[in-house]
Coordinates of all heavy atoms in Angstrom, one line a residue:
G1 N -24.3 4.9 -4.8 CA -23.7 6.3 -4.6 C -23.7 6.9 -6.0 O -23.7 6.2 -7.0
G2 N -23.6 8.2 -6.0 CA -23.6 9.0 -7.3 C -25.0 9.4 -7.7 O -25.2 9.8 -8.9
N3 N -26.0 9.2 -6.8 CA -27.4 9.5 -7.1 C -27.8 10.9 -6.9 O -27.1 11.6 -6.1 CB -28.3 8.6 -6.3 CG -28.3 7.1 -6.7 OD1 -28.6 6.8 -7.8 ND2 -27.8 6.3 -5.8
T4 N -28.8 11.4 -7.5 CA -29.4 12.7 -7.3 C -30.8 12.7 -7.6 O -31.3 12.0 -8.4 CB -28.6 13.7 -8.2 OG1 -29.2 15.0 -8.0 CG2 -28.8 13.4 -9.7
E5 N -31.5 13.7 -7.0 CA -32.9 13.9 -7.3 C -33.1 15.0 -8.4 O -34.2 15.2 -8.8 CB -33.7 14.3 -6.1 CG -34.3 13.1 -5.3 CD -33.2 12.2 -4.8 OE1 -32.4 12.6 -3.9 OE2 -33.1 11.0 -5.2
S6 N -32.0 15.6 -8.8 CA -32.1 16.6 -9.8 C -32.6 16.1 -11.1 O -32.3 15.0 -11.5 CB -30.7 17.3 -10.0 OG -30.7 18.3 -11.0
M7 N -33.4 17.0 -11.8 CA -33.9 16.6 -13.1 C -32.9 17.0 -14.2 O -33.0 16.7 -15.4 CB -35.2 17.4 -13.4 CG -36.3 17.0 -12.4 SD -36.9 15.3 -12.7 CE -37.7 15.1 -11.1
L8 N -31.8 17.7 -13.9 CA -30.8 18.2 -14.8 C -29.4 17.9 -14.4 O -29.2 17.5 -13.2 CB -30.9 19.8 -14.9 CG -32.2 20.4 -15.3 CD1 -32.2 21.9 -15.1 CD2 -32.6 20.1 -16.7
V9 N -28.5 18.0 -15.3 CA -27.1 17.8 -14.9 C -26.6 19.2 -14.5 O -26.1 20.0 -15.3 CB -26.3 17.3 -16.1 CG1 -24.8 17.1 -15.7 CG2 -26.9 16.0 -16.6
D10 N -26.9 19.5 -13.2 CA -26.6 20.9 -12.7 C -25.9 20.8 -11.4 O -25.3 19.7 -11.0 CB -28.0 21.6 -12.6 CG -28.9 20.9 -11.6 OD1 -28.6 19.9 -11.0 OD2 -30.1 21.4 -11.5
Y11 N -25.8 21.9 -10.7 CA -25.1 22.0 -9.4 C -25.7 20.9 -8.4 O -24.9 20.2 -7.7 CB -25.2 23.4 -8.8 CG -24.5 23.5 -7.4 CD1 -23.2 23.9 -7.4 CD2 -25.2 23.2 -6.2 CE1 -22.5 24.0 -6.2 CE2 -24.5 23.3 -5.0 CZ -23.2 23.7 -5.0 OH -22.5 23.8 -3.8
Q12 N -27.0 20.8 -8.3 CA -27.6 19.8 -7.4 C -27.1 18.4 -7.8 O -26.8 17.7 -6.9 CB -29.1 19.9 -7.4 CG -29.8 18.9 -6.5 CD -31.3 18.8 -6.6 OE1 -31.9 19.8 -7.2 NE2 -31.9 17.8 -6.2
A13 N -27.1 18.1 -9.0 CA -26.7 16.8 -9.5 C -25.3 16.5 -9.1 O -24.9 15.4 -8.6 CB -26.9 16.6 -11.0
G14 N -24.4 17.5 -9.3 CA -23.0 17.3 -9.0 C -22.8 17.2 -7.5 O -22.0 16.3 -7.0
A15 N -23.5 18.0 -6.7 CA -23.3 18.0 -5.2 C -23.8 16.7 -4.6 O -23.1 16.1 -3.8 CB -24.0 19.2 -4.6
E16 N -25.0 16.3 -5.0 CA -25.5 15.1 -4.4 C -24.7 13.8 -4.9 O -24.5 12.9 -4.1 CB -27.0 15.0 -4.8 CG -27.8 16.0 -4.1 CD -29.3 15.9 -4.4 OE1 -29.7 15.3 -5.4 OE2 -30.1 16.5 -3.6
A17 N -24.4 13.8 -6.2 CA -23.6 12.7 -6.7 C -22.3 12.6 -6.0 O -21.8 11.5 -5.6 CB -23.4 12.8 -8.2
A18 N -21.6 13.7 -5.8 CA -20.3 13.7 -5.2 C -20.3 13.2 -3.7 O -19.6 12.4 -3.3 CB -19.6 15.0 -5.3
S19 N -21.3 13.8 -3.0 CA -21.4 13.4 -1.6 C -21.8 12.0 -1.3 O -21.2 11.3 -0.5 CB -22.4 14.3 -0.8 OG -23.7 14.2 -1.3
T20 N -22.8 11.5 -2.1 CA -23.2 10.1 -1.9 C -22.2 9.1 -2.4 O -22.0 8.0 -1.8 CB -24.6 9.8 -2.6 OG1 -24.5 10.1 -4.0 CG2 -25.7 10.7 -2.0
L21 N -21.5 9.4 -3.5 CA -20.5 8.5 -4.0 C -19.2 8.5 -3.0 O -18.7 7.4 -2.7 CB -20.0 8.9 -5.4 CG -18.9 8.0 -6.0 CD1 -19.4 6.6 -6.0 CD2 -18.6 8.5 -7.4
L22 N -18.8 9.6 -2.6 CA -17.6 9.6 -1.7 C -17.9 8.9 -0.4 O -17.1 8.1 0.1 CB -17.1 11.1 -1.5 CG -15.9 11.2 -0.5 CD1 -14.7 10.5 -1.1 CD2 -15.6 12.7 -0.3
M23 N -19.1 9.2 0.2 CA -19.4 8.6 1.5 C -19.5 7.0 1.3 O -19.1 6.3 2.2 CB -20.6 9.2 2.1 CG -20.4 10.6 2.5 SD -19.0 10.8 3.7 CE -19.6 9.8 5.0
A24 N -20.2 6.6 0.2 CA -20.3 5.2 0.0 C -18.9 4.5 -0.2 O -18.7 3.4 0.3 CB -21.2 4.9 -1.2
A25 N -18.0 5.2 -0.9 CA -16.7 4.6 -1.1 C -15.9 4.6 0.2 O -15.2 3.6 0.4 CB -16.0 5.5 -2.2
L26 N -16.0 5.6 1.0 CA -15.3 5.6 2.3 C -15.9 4.6 3.3 O -15.3 4.3 4.3 CB -15.3 7.0 2.9 CG -14.5 8.1 2.1 CD1 -14.7 9.5 2.8 CD2 -13.0 7.7 2.2
S27 N -17.1 4.2 3.0 CA -17.8 3.2 3.9 C -17.2 1.8 3.6 O -17.4 0.9 4.5 CB -19.3 3.2 3.6 OG -19.9 4.4 4.0
G28 N -16.5 1.6 2.5 CA -15.8 0.3 2.3 C -16.5 -0.8 1.6 O -16.3 -1.9 1.8
F29 N -17.5 -0.4 0.7 CA -18.1 -1.4 -0.1 C -17.2 -2.1 -1.1 O -16.2 -1.5 -1.6 CB -19.3 -0.8 -0.9 CG -20.5 -0.5 -0.1 CD1 -20.8 0.9 0.3 CD2 -21.4 -1.4 0.3 CE1 -21.9 1.2 1.0 CE2 -22.5 -1.2 1.1 CZ -22.8 0.2 1.4
D30 N -17.5 -3.3 -1.5 CA -16.8 -4.0 -2.6 C -17.2 -3.4 -3.9 O -16.4 -3.3 -4.8 CB -17.0 -5.5 -2.5 CG -16.4 -6.1 -1.3 OD1 -15.2 -6.3 -1.3 OD2 -17.2 -6.6 -0.4
F31 N -18.5 -3.0 -4.0 CA -19.1 -2.7 -5.3 C -20.1 -1.6 -5.0 O -20.9 -1.7 -4.1 CB -19.7 -3.9 -5.9 CG -20.3 -3.7 -7.2 CD1 -19.6 -3.7 -8.4 CD2 -21.7 -3.6 -7.4 CE1 -20.1 -3.5 -9.6 CE2 -22.3 -3.4 -8.6 CZ -21.5 -3.4 -9.7
I32 N -20.0 -0.5 -5.8 CA -21.0 0.6 -5.7 C -21.7 0.7 -7.0 O -21.1 0.9 -8.1 CB -20.3 1.9 -5.3 CG1 -19.6 1.7 -4.0 CG2 -21.4 3.0 -5.1 CD1 -18.8 2.9 -3.5
Y33 N -23.0 0.7 -7.0 CA -23.8 0.8 -8.2 C -24.3 2.3 -8.3 O -24.3 3.1 -7.4 CB -25.1 -0.1 -8.1 CG -25.4 -0.8 -9.3 CD1 -24.6 -1.8 -9.9 CD2 -26.6 -0.5 -10.0 CE1 -25.0 -2.4 -11.0 CE2 -27.0 -1.1 -11.2 CZ -26.1 -2.1 -11.7 OH -26.5 -2.7 -12.8
D34 N -24.7 2.7 -9.5 CA -25.3 4.0 -9.8 C -24.2 5.1 -9.8 O -24.6 6.3 -9.8 CB -26.4 4.4 -8.9 CG -27.6 3.4 -8.9 OD1 -27.8 2.8 -10.0 OD2 -28.2 3.2 -7.9
T35 N -23.0 4.7 -9.9 CA -21.9 5.8 -9.8 C -21.8 6.7 -11.0 O -21.1 7.7 -10.9 CB -20.5 5.1 -9.6 OG1 -20.2 4.3 -10.7 CG2 -20.6 4.2 -8.3
A36 N -22.4 6.3 -12.1 CA -22.3 7.1 -13.3 C -23.6 7.2 -14.1 O -24.2 6.1 -14.4 CB -21.2 6.6 -14.2
G37 N -24.1 8.4 -14.3 CA -25.2 8.6 -15.3 C -26.6 8.9 -14.6 O -27.6 9.1 -15.4
S38 N -26.7 8.9 -13.3 CA -28.0 9.0 -12.6 C -28.5 10.4 -12.5 O -27.8 11.3 -12.0 CB -27.9 8.4 -11.3 OG -29.1 8.7 -10.5
I39 N -29.7 10.7 -12.9 CA -30.5 11.9 -12.5 C -31.9 11.4 -12.2 O -32.3 10.2 -12.4 CB -30.5 13.0 -13.6 CG1 -31.1 12.5 -14.9 CG2 -29.1 13.5 -13.9 CD1 -31.3 13.5 -16.0
E40 N -32.7 12.2 -11.6 CA -34.1 12.0 -11.3 C -34.3 10.7 -10.5 O -35.0 9.8 -10.8 CB -34.9 11.9 -12.5 CG -36.4 12.0 -12.3 CD -37.2 11.9 -13.6 OE1 -36.7 12.0 -14.7 OE2 -38.5 11.8 -13.5
S41 N -33.5 10.5 -9.4 CA -33.5 9.4 -8.5 C -33.3 8.1 -9.3 O -33.9 7.0 -9.0 CB -34.9 9.3 -7.8 OG -35.1 10.4 -7.0
S42 N -32.4 8.1 -10.3 CA -32.1 7.0 -11.2 C -33.2 6.5 -12.0 O -33.1 5.4 -12.6 CB -31.5 5.8 -10.3 OG -30.2 6.2 -9.8
L43 N -34.2 7.3 -12.2 CA -35.3 7.0 -13.2 C -34.8 7.3 -14.6 O -35.3 6.8 -15.6 CB -36.6 7.7 -12.8 CG -37.3 7.3 -11.5 CD1 -38.5 8.2 -11.3 CD2 -37.8 5.8 -11.7

């Protein structure tokens, strides 16, 4: 969670990171990877 396809730290990056991270967290994982620093599909 926290991922984005955006090439920049912009609105898309914030929106996609927030939605994927919150939903992953509410899903009840023990551990969530990629929660900080990802742009460009984590490339």
Side-chain angles (χ1 to χ4, degrees):
N3 291 297
T4 178
E5 273 60 67
S6 179
M7 299 291 164
L8 304 170
V9 183
D10 58 4
Y11 181 89
Q12 178 185 345
E16 291 180 340
S19 64
T20 58
L21 179 57
L22 179 58
M23 291 306 297
L26 291 175
S27 297
F29 284 105
D30 293 289
F31 182 77
I32 304 175
Y33 220 69
D34 300 328
T35 64
S38 167
I39 58 175
E40 196 180 349
S41 303
S42 291
L43 293 174

